[in-house]
Amino acid sequence: MRFFSRLLDRLWAAAASRGAVRMLLLVSFTESVFFPLPPDLLLIPMALAARERALRLAAICLAASVAGGVAGYFVGMFFMDVAGMPIVRFYGLQEQYHAVKEWYDAYSAWAVAVAGLTPVPYKLCTLTAGAFRIDFITFLLASVASRGLRFFVIAGLIYLFGERVRYFLERRFDLVLLVTLVLGVLGFMALKFLN
């Protein structure tokens, strides 16, 4: 717990620095391929520091994250053996790799939407989506929908409620992601039903 607390303190300090937006872009992009920390950890303090920019920061986060997802997709498609599998092994995600294959068999690229909203490593889904040749447009739409929902819910809460959200998110971050996941799944089910 002490490590997590120190890490959060460093992220709060980084969020106030001059290069914070560039750092948010870099973290959002690389987290989609190989970096271990989610961009939410920077988005939250940056949005709290400038509430009027919260939605703009979420859009930056989304754009960089989806761009990273596209990079991960093509790494998986063309370089899975050389670059993708070493990343999977580095994070000890071999079992999850096979589970994601089953998700794709059952749900196509919409499995990416689940990963985009939950603590399931998004990088695993971007790499495997390319490796398993999931339809690129569906992959892209699922990524935009899930990552957008995740980042804009966080930014929207901060925009509306400010500092009170900081303490709630620090203590209940997993709960926020779970609620977002449930809402996302209900949204996808509604879209499927309407079609």
Side-chain angles (χ1 to χ4, degrees):
M1 193 67 174
R2 175 180 247 176
F3 169 77
F4 188 67
S5 177
R6 278 192 309 223
L7 177 63
L8 277 178
D9 290 342
R10 285 186 180 170
L11 288 170
W12 291 103
S17 71
R18 275 191 141 191
V21 172
R22 284 191 301 271
M23 188 183 305
L24 180 65
L25 279 164
L26 182 66
V27 169
S28 298
F29 183 89
T30 57
E31 183 266 343
S32 299
V33 185
F34 65 87
F35 196 65
L37 295 178
D40 317 67
L41 294 177
L42 275 176
L43 175 61
I44 292 167
M46 289 176 68
L48 282 167
R51 279 173 61 188
E52 71 284 355
R53 294 177 52 206
L55 299 177
R56 179 176 172 267
L57 292 169
I60 290 169
C61 217
L62 172 61
S65 181
V66 171
V70 169
Y73 180 93
F74 288 113
V75 166
M77 180 176 273
F78 298 112
F79 307 106
M80 192 62 187
D81 292 336
V82 177
M85 284 312 290
I87 293 169
V88 170
R89 282 192 295 274
F90 178 80
Y91 288 109
L93 298 171
Q94 295 91 324
E95 283 184 38
Q96 290 89 335
Y97 175 83
H98 297 294
V100 169
K101 167 88 168 92
E102 292 175 17
W103 293 357
Y104 286 145
D105 289 343
Y107 307 109
S108 185
W110 294 109
V112 174
V114 172
L117 290 168
T118 65
V120 171
Y122 180 59
K123 67 188 75 34
L124 177 63
C125 289
T126 65
L127 293 168
T128 55
F132 301 140
R133 305 296 198 264
I134 298 301
D135 177 68
F136 180 73
I137 297 301
T138 306
F139 165 79
L140 195 58
L141 292 173
S143 292
V144 169
S146 63
R147 299 303 265 186
L149 183 62
R150 175 176 173 159
F151 299 141
F152 279 97
V153 163
I154 291 169
L157 288 171
I158 291 170
Y159 181 79
L160 292 172
F161 300 109
E163 194 65 25
R164 289 176 290 174
V165 171
R166 173 183 179 173
Y167 299 109
F168 177 79
L169 287 174
E170 284 178 342
R171 293 187 180 96
R172 306 268 189 241
F173 191 65
D174 287 341
L175 176 64
V176 170
L177 291 180
L178 179 63
V179 168
T180 306
L181 170 65
V182 169
L183 292 174
V185 168
L186 291 174
F188 290 127
M189 287 172 62
L191 285 173
K192 201 165 193 165
F193 177 74
L194 292 174
N195 290 333

